Amino acid sequence: ISGRSLMLYEHISNSWGTQISLLGCEFEGTALYPIAADYSFQGCIFHGKIWLEKRHGYKKVNLTHCIFNQIPATFLDCRDNTYISNCTFIHCFGELEYPHSLLYITNGIVRNCMFVDCHITGKYAKMLYMEGRSSSELTDCKFVRCTCNGAQDQCLVGVQSGVKLHDCTFDSCRTKK
């Protein structure tokens, strides 16, 4: 799917536990707006300006074994029930202003992901921002050659008090001095 805005919608009541799975799909320059179901993206590839946002009340978004290549600015703005695992983010970049970040997660889990050669600039810039206190977790993620050159209060990863942060590594990463 290339250069489109895609509303993902199901016609079956959520009370039936509807889940929509997208397996091995490729998205380029596409805005995705999941609506009213659980969504699972498995083995998908995302290129260029992509936007995935919790706008209309979906229950859960799972992203597993996906590749994100050259994603500018905010890609994922999900506020509840987000699970991202075994994904790779390569050459993602952007000039961001608070409260935006490449990934902005509330009440979610990011596990076993790699961020390689990602570069963020802008006032209060953060590559990844997580809130949700004890219901959010960042575990076993690797950041390689990533930079954050914000005007002030810049950092690669920002977490709210109580967010669980375990076994993440930062190799050759830097922030503005």
Side-chain angles (χ1 to χ4, degrees), residues 5-19:
S5 181
L6 180 63
M7 302 285 280
L8 303 173
Y9 183 72
E10 46 73 39
H11 295 283
I12 303 170
S13 168
N14 252 348
S15 63
W16 294 359
T18 303
Q19 179 170 336

Side-chain angles (χ1 to χ4, degrees), residues 88-105:
T88 302
F89 297 81
I90 305 166
H91 298 292
C92 298
F93 59 93
E95 182 168 338
L96 306 169
E97 297 293 328
Y98 179 81
H100 300 294
S101 58
L102 181 64
L103 298 175
Y104 190 118
I105 308 292

Side-chain angles (χ1 to χ4, degrees), residues 7 10 19 27 52 58 75 105 129-130 134 139 155:
M7 302 285 280
E10 46 73 39
Q19 179 170 336
F27 300 92
L52 177 61
Y58 63 78
F75 157 67
I105 308 292
Y129 185 74
M130 295 187 75
S134 62
T139 304
C155 62

